[in-house]
């Protein structure tokens, strides 16, 4: 084998090529303000109290500055325990105080008046107001300026670019969260056993692929001035049937990932199996890609066709692509 393997760093391809500049993605001035769409999707305006309807009107929300009255209104929805918003279904105590549904489940009495929380009393008027107000994204403090209808908040917050990054290591054992800039330092400090290879064309060698149960093999590849995480995961997708999932992640944003392509190749015994795709941002993680088989997927029989003494070499090639 002429290619470098994970037992030694590759030196034949220096990684001096700079990454291409990110595609300019200026927000289109023609795009309607978020508020317009949101108020249209809300409940019939006849059911909305007048004060709230004004606030959700054009110019009242979206990414623009939030008026003081609007802030006053959203602050009425603050949960007194966790300071997150109390969103529909809105339940109140016997005296009319609100608490969010997550906190309510852990409480035996009202945090404001100590009164009974049961039986549940719904506050339909506040629910109607909530439907007419745009709430700031949960990550407003880290830079997100979006305000959203409460029904759109969770979906946006899952993909919000200001959401903190989680540790990209597969498996749920590490609970670290932080900024993108801090991810590499975390990996080097807390996951010292992960090897790094330099170069755009390397061999990811997974040893002992017959280890029982769910197993992850992880290594890092550095090229084009970026760090990529290579993951091979063995899972039992259904009873008695084991599958392998191989994928490349970029330690970077989704937009940065679009500048690259990766190829995974199993090669040998007069056979070849190839998968090519855009690397996934670590912001998105591996779990959903594996669940949707959006990666190189093969079963134990195929793994054995390519393995050598229980060790499987996956050729990994990363390239830049012109967007
Ligand atoms: Zn709460
Ligand atoms: Zn109360
Ligand atoms: Zn956001
Ligand atoms: Zn970690």
């Amino acid at each position: 084998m002429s290619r470098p393997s994970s037992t030694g760093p590759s030196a034949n391809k220096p990684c001096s090529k700079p990454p291409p500049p990110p595609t300019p993605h200026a927000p289109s001035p023609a795009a309607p303000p978020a508020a317009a769409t949101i108020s249209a999707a809300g409940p019939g305006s006849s059911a909305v109290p007048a004060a709230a309807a004004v606030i959700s009107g054009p110019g009242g929300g979206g990414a623009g500055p939030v008026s003081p009255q609007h802030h006053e209104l959203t602050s009425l929805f603050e949960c007194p325990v966790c300071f997150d918003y109390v969103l529909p279904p809105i339940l109140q105590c016997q005296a009319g105080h609100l608490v969010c549904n997550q906190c309510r489940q852990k409480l035996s009495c009202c945090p404001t008046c100590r009164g009974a929380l049961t039986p549940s009393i719904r506050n339909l008027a506040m629910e109607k107001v909530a439907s007419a107000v745009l709430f700031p994204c949960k990550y407003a403090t880290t830079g997100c300026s979006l305000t959203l209808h409460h029904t759109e908040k969770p979906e946006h917050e899952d993909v919000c670019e200001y959401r903190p990054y989680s540790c990209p290591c597969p498996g749920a054992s590490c609970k670290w969260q932080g900024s993108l800039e801090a991810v590499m330092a975390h990996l080097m400090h807390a996951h010292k056993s992960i090897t790094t290879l330099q170069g755009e064309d390397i061999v990811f060698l997974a040893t002992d692929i017959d280890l029982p149960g769910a197993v992850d093999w992880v290594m890092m590849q550095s090229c084009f001035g970026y760090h990529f995480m290579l993951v091979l995961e063995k899972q039992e997708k259904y009873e008695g049937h084991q599958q392998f999932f191989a994928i490349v992640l970029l330690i970077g944003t989704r937009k940065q990932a679009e500048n690259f392509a990766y190829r995974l190749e199993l090669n040998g015994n007069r056979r070849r199996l190839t998968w090519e795709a855009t690397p996934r941002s670590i912001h998105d993680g591996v779990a959903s890609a594996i669940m949707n088989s959006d990666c190189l997927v093969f079963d134990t029989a195929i793994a054995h066709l390519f393995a050598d003494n229980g060790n499987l070499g996956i050729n990994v090639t990363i390239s830049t692509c012109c967007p």
Side-chain angles (χ1 to χ4, degrees):
M1 190 164 9
S2 64
R3 280 169 148 185
S5 80
S6 67
T7 50
S10 132
N12 60 339
K13 283 194 180 169
C15 40
S16 53
K17 257 191 266 171
T23 351
H25 269 296
S28 159
T37 355
I38 286 156
S39 46
S45 55
S46 59
V48 174
V54 172
I55 282 145
S56 71
V66 176
S67 70
Q69 302 98 299
H70 183 250
H71 180 77
E72 220 165 87
L73 197 56
T74 55
S75 69
L76 294 178
F77 289 88
E78 265 169 31
C79 168
V81 181
C82 68
F83 302 107
D84 202 352
Y85 293 110
V86 181
L87 297 175
I90 297 177
L91 301 170
Q92 62 175 51
C93 81
Q94 308 275 331
H97 303 118
L98 306 182
V99 64
C100 84
N101 290 317
Q102 284 76 20
C103 293
R104 189 186 171 90
Q105 284 168 15
K106 300 173 207 149
L107 294 167
S108 52
C109 63
C110 170
T112 311
C113 70
R114 307 265 145 212
L117 286 170
T118 46
S120 297
I121 305 168
R122 245 177 113 171
N123 190 324
L124 293 175
M126 278 301 268
E127 286 186 14
K128 281 177 184 162
V129 179
S131 294
V133 170
L134 296 176
F135 292 91
C137 166
K138 191 161 142 186
Y139 305 111
T141 48
T142 47
C144 185
S145 57
L146 275 185
T147 56
L148 306 115
H149 190 260
H150 73 82
T151 53
E152 294 172 322
K153 244 169 82 71
E155 202 178 312
H156 161 75
E157 286 163 357
D158 277 349
V159 298
C160 177
E161 58 177 315
Y162 296 96
R163 180 170 54 91
Y165 281 69
S166 300
C167 175
C169 289
S173 52
C174 181
K175 301 284 178 228
W176 180 88
Q177 285 199 324
S179 69
L180 174 59
E181 293 69 33
V183 171
M184 277 313 291
H186 164 73
L187 289 176
M188 272 148 39
H189 175 78
H191 305 277
K192 289 192 179 80
S193 60
I194 301 178
T195 1
T196 301
L197 288 186
Q198 306 287 332
E200 52 207 75
D201 190 11
I202 61 115
V203 175
F204 175 18
L205 188 68
T207 53
D208 299 325
I209 56 162
D210 293 317
L211 282 175
V215 185
D216 287 299
W217 292 264
V218 180
M219 70 172 282
M220 300 294 297
Q221 178 173 358
S222 298
C223 56
F224 304 111
Y226 281 87
H227 301 283
F228 296 84
M229 179 176 259
L230 321 179
V231 176
L232 174 68
E233 186 161 312
K234 184 165 81 159
Q235 271 189 11
E236 198 165 72
K237 255 209 169 172
Y238 43 93
E239 193 66 37
H241 185 81
Q242 295 197 318
Q243 279 189 309
F244 289 85
F245 304 88
I247 192 162
V248 174
L249 303 165
L250 172 72
I251 312 289
T253 63
R254 210 171 297 146
K255 206 169 251 179
Q256 288 167 332
E258 284 168 11
N259 296 318
F260 296 99
Y262 73 93
R263 188 175 72 225
L264 298 176
E265 201 171 275
L266 298 177
N267 224 323
N269 301 321
R270 304 178 66 85
R271 288 171 183 86
R272 176 182 296 163
L273 181 64
T274 307
W275 166 264
E276 285 180 273
T278 302
R280 217 174 152 80
S281 160
I282 52 163
H283 215 192
D284 298 327
V286 285
S288 64
I290 288 178
M291 196 144 58
N292 301 318
S293 293
D294 187 10
C295 52
L296 174 63
V297 186
F298 50 95
D299 61 15
T300 323
I302 291 178
H304 283 131
L305 286 178
F306 292 100
D308 183 16
N309 264 327
N311 302 326
L312 184 68
I314 306 174
N315 298 310
V316 186
T317 309
I318 290 168
S319 54
T320 56
C321 55
C322 302

